[in-house]
C-alpha cells in the first residue's frame, strides 16, 4: 500500500525528470538557429544576395549537423528512459551533467560553423561531442539497472542500449582525428551517427521473444 | 498482458514525443521576437519615436505572419498526433526533420523582415515554408497509418488530414512565385493559410457518422 | 463508449494545448532577462561598478514589472483552463492570438526599459498590455462556455473570471494615460495588477456553496 | 464526490504549476550558454586559437558553476513538489518569485563570468544566489504544510527539506564575503553546494520508518 503510493509518486517524479530533460534538449536544439545571423550585403542586387546566402552554407550545414546530433542524443534519452518503470533519485545528477553537455552544444556548434576550416575549432567541436557521448554512456549504465526497469525489459535490450550509446563517442573520435588534417570535411562521419543509431534501433526490435521478469 | 504493458509504455513514449515537439514549436515561435531590436532614434522627440516605430512595421508584420505560420504548423501537428493511439518508433526521425524546419524559421523570418522588399530573401522565406509544408505532409502520411490510429479515426479523417497538409506548401509556392515580381506584398497569400486550415477543420467535423475500427 | 473514448482523446488534446501555452509563457517570461546587457564600465573601480549597476536599475525594474505582468497572465490562464473539462477545438486560434501578445512582451518590455522616461515607448508598452488584456478577456469569454466546463464550475465562478480578466486592461489604460505626463512612474499602477488579481482570487473562494449542473 | 472531482482537478493544476516551473528552470539553465560568445582571434594559427579558448575559461567555469547552481535549485524544487499531493493556490505567487530569481541568473552569471576578478560583479552574483536561496527557503516553508502533503511524508522529511534549503544561502554568504578579498576564487565554495545538497539527500533516505498521516 505505502509501497504503491510511493511508486505512484516516484512515477510522477520520473515523468518530471524526463520532462525537464526534454525541455533542455528542445531549447538547446532550437537555440542552434540564433547563431545564424541575417546577412546585410552591400549591394542589394540578386547576385549579391545569392552570394550572401551561399556564404552562409557552412552555418546552415553546421545547424543541420548539430540538430541531428542533439536529435540523436534526445532520441537515445527518450528510448533509455522509456525502459524505466521507477525513479532512481541517484540518476538526477548524472542526468544534469548530460544536460549540461547538451546545453553547451549551441556554443561549440557556433564555434565550428563560424570557423569551419580551422583545425582547433573543429577538434573542439568533436571533443564536446565525445564528452557528450561518454556522459550519455555513463548515464545509460547508471539508469538501466535492475530494480528500476520495466518488467518487459530484457538483458539483451540493456546490452543493446549500452553498446548503442558508444556509437556517438566513436564517431566523435573519428571526426576529431580527421579534423587534424581536413578540418571541415572531418565532420562528415558525424552525419552517419543518426544512421548508426537507427541501424541499432532496427536491430533492437528483433529479440522481443524472451521476456525476463 | 505483455501487450497491455507494452502499449502503456508506448503511450508514455508518444506523449513524450509530442511533448518534445510542442517544446520546439513553442521555443521557435517565441524566439521570433528576439529578432526585433529596440530602436534608438537620434532625437528623443515624440515624432522621432513614432517614426522609429513606424519603421519597425515590416518587423512587426513579419513577426505576426511567422507566428501564425508556426502556429498553423503546430495546430496541424496537434491535430494529427491527436489521432494516434500508439507510438510508431519509426516516426521519430521524420518528426525531427519537421522540427528542424520549424526551428529554422526564426532565421528565415528575420531575413524576410529585415529585407522586406528584396526578391531573394522573400523567395528564400517562401522556400523554407514550402519545405516545412512538404515535410509536414510527409510526416502526416507516415504517422496516420493503420495500426497506430485511434479506433474512432475514419478513413475520411485521414484523407482530410492529408489534403489539409497540402494547404501550406501550395500557399508557399504562390508566395514564392509572386515574390519574383512583388517582394513583400507577395507574403499576403500566406496570411490566408490559417484561414484555409480552419476551413478544412470545419469541414472535418461534418462526417463523424461512420466509424471504422 | 465512442463518446468516452472521444472525451479521453479530447482531454489529452486539452492537456497538450495548455502545455504548449505554458511553454510559450515560460519562454517569454525567461527571455525578458536577455535584454539586460552586461555593462563594461571604463574604469574598473568599485565606484564605477556600483554606478554601472545603479544605471541598470530601470532595466531591473522593467524585468521585475514585466515578469509579474506575464506571471499574472499565466496565473489567469492557469486558472481559467483549470475550469475546463473538455476541449473546444475552436479555442485553439484565440489562444494562439493571446500567446502572440505574450511572446511580443520581451520586445515591448525591452523598449520600455531602455527608454524609461520617454513618452512614446511607455505608451507603446501600456498599449501592448492593453491588447494582451483584452485578448485574454476574449479568450476567457470564449473558453468558459457550457459544454466544456467541469461539473463543479458555478455561474458565479465564470462571472468572476470574466470580471477579473478586466483588471489588466483597466490598469493598462491608467498607465497609458499617465505615461502622457509622467512617462516612467506611469508604470506604477501596473505593479498593483497582480495584487488586484489576487484580491479577486480571494473573493472567488467565498462562494463554493451552490453547485450548478 | 464533489471532493474527489475537485482533488483531481487540483492535481492537474499542481502538475501544470510544476510543469511551468520546470520550463522556466530549463530555459534559464540553457540560456546560460548564449552569453559565451564565439571568439575571432586575429591570427588563424593553432596557437592563437588555443589562446582564444584558454581566454574563455572563466566563461566556461561560470557556465558550469551556474548550471549546477540552477540544477541544484531545480533538483530541490523537484524534490519538494514531489512531496505534495494537493495544490495550494496560494503557492502560485511565491513560486513565481522564485522563478523570477532563477530567470535572472543568466544575467548575473554572465556579469560574473565577464568580469571574473572584479569585486562588485562577484559580490552581486553571490547576492543574487543568496536571494534565490532565501526565496526558495520561503517557498519550502509555504509549500510543505499539512493539508497539501502526501500521506507518506513524515515530519522528519519536512524538517530535512527546510534545513536543506538553507545550504545555498549559507554558501552564497560565504562566497559573497570571500569575494571582498578574493573575487573569482571566492566562488569555489559554491561548487560544493550540490555536494551539500546530495549529502542531505543521502541523509533523507535514512528515516522512512515512522509514517505519520
Amino acid at each position: 500500500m505505502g509501497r504503491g503510493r510511493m511508486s505512484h509518486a516516484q512515477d510522477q517524479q520520473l515523468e518530471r525528470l524526463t520532462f525537464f530533460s526534454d525541455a533542455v534538449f528542445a531549447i538547446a536544439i532550437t537555440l542552434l538557429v540564433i547563431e545564424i545571423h541575417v546577412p546585410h550585403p552591400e549591394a542589394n542586387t540578386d547576385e549579391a544576395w545569392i552570394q550572401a546566402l551561399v556564404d552562409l552554407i557552412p552555418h546552415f550545414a553546421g545547424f543541420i549537423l548539430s540538430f541531428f546530433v542533439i536529435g540523436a542524443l534526445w532520441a537515445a534519452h527518450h528510448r533509455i528512459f522509456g525502459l524505466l518503470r521507477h525513479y532512481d533519485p541517484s540518476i538526477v545528477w548524472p542526468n544534469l551533467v548530460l544536460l549540461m553537455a547538451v546545453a553547451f552544444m549551441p556554443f561549440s556548434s557556433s564555434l565550428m560553423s563560424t570557423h569551419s576550416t580551422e583545425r582547433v575549432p573543429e577538434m573542439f567541436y568533436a571533443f564536446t561531442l565525445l564528452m557528450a557521448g561518454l556522459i550519455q554512456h555513463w548515464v545509460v549504465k547508471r539508469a538501466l539497472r535492475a530494480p528500476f526497469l520495466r518488467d518487459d525489459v530484457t538483458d539483451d535490450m540493456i546490452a543493446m542500449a549500452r553498446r548503442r550509446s558508444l556509437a556517438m563517442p566513436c564517431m566523435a573520435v573519428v571526426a576529431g582525428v580527421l579534423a587534424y588534417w581536413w578540418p571541415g570535411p572531418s565532420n562528415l562521419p558525424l552525419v552517419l551517427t543518426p544512421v548508426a543509431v537507427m541501424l541499432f534501433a532496427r536491430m533492437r526490435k528483433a529479440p522481443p521473444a524472451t521476456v525476463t521478469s
Side-chain angles (χ1 to χ4, degrees), chain A:
Chain A
M1 253 177 286
R3 207 92 272 279
R5 218 179 289 134
M6 201 68 167
S7 300
H8 175 66
Q10 279 201 345
D11 283 0
Q12 288 185 317
Q13 291 295 79
L14 176 59
E15 202 180 314
R16 212 184 145 183
L17 183 70
T18 56
F19 169 82
F20 179 72
S21 308
D22 280 353
V24 171
F25 276 106
I27 300 155
I29 213 169
T30 317
L31 281 183
L32 291 172
V33 84
I34 68 170
E35 300 294 348
I36 312 182
H37 297 294
V38 171
H40 297 276
E42 287 175 25
N44 262 333
T45 61
D46 287 359
E47 289 72 29
W49 264 108
I50 289 167
Q51 186 57 45
L53 291 178
V54 167
D55 290 346
L56 282 179
I57 285 177
H59 289 85
F60 296 154
F63 169 74
I64 294 172
L65 176 61
S66 295
F67 199 96
F68 282 116
V69 166
I70 299 183
L73 286 167
W74 174 78
H77 196 271
H78 177 66
R79 229 178 301 109
I80 294 154
F81 277 73
L83 301 177
L84 298 182
R85 189 181 51 176
H86 285 310
Y87 169 69
D88 174 5
S90 80
I91 205 69
V92 167
W93 282 97
N95 190 60
L96 270 174
V97 175
L98 174 60
L99 296 180
M100 189 172 69
V102 170
F104 188 71
M105 291 272 309
F107 169 75
S108 61
S109 173
S110 174
L111 180 73
M112 177 268 284
S113 301
T114 316
H115 304 281
S116 55
T117 55
E118 297 296 321
R119 192 185 287 163
V120 175
E122 299 299 303
M123 291 179 81
F124 185 81
Y125 180 68
F127 177 73
T128 57
L129 294 196
L130 173 62
M131 292 307 295
L134 290 178
I135 293 165
Q136 189 182 41
H137 183 66
W138 173 52
V139 169
V140 170
K141 273 175 48 178
R142 296 268 327 232
L144 297 184
R145 284 189 313 193
F148 305 109
L149 297 169
R150 273 182 12 224
D151 287 350
D152 56 333
V153 174
T154 65
D155 289 348
D156 276 359
M157 287 160 77
I158 296 171
M160 197 80 79
R162 285 193 189 188
R163 259 182 289 141
R164 193 160 40 186
S165 68
L166 289 169
M168 184 173 294
C170 291
M171 292 306 211
V173 167
V174 172
V177 170
L178 286 178
Y180 189 82
W181 292 283
W182 305 286
S186 55
N187 289 317
L188 287 176
L190 295 171
V191 177
L192 303 173
T193 309
V195 179
V197 172
M198 281 180 82
L199 282 176
F200 274 88
R202 289 280 145 77
M203 286 163 71
R204 175 192 160 203
K205 265 181 217 138
T210 56
V211 176
T212 70
S213 84

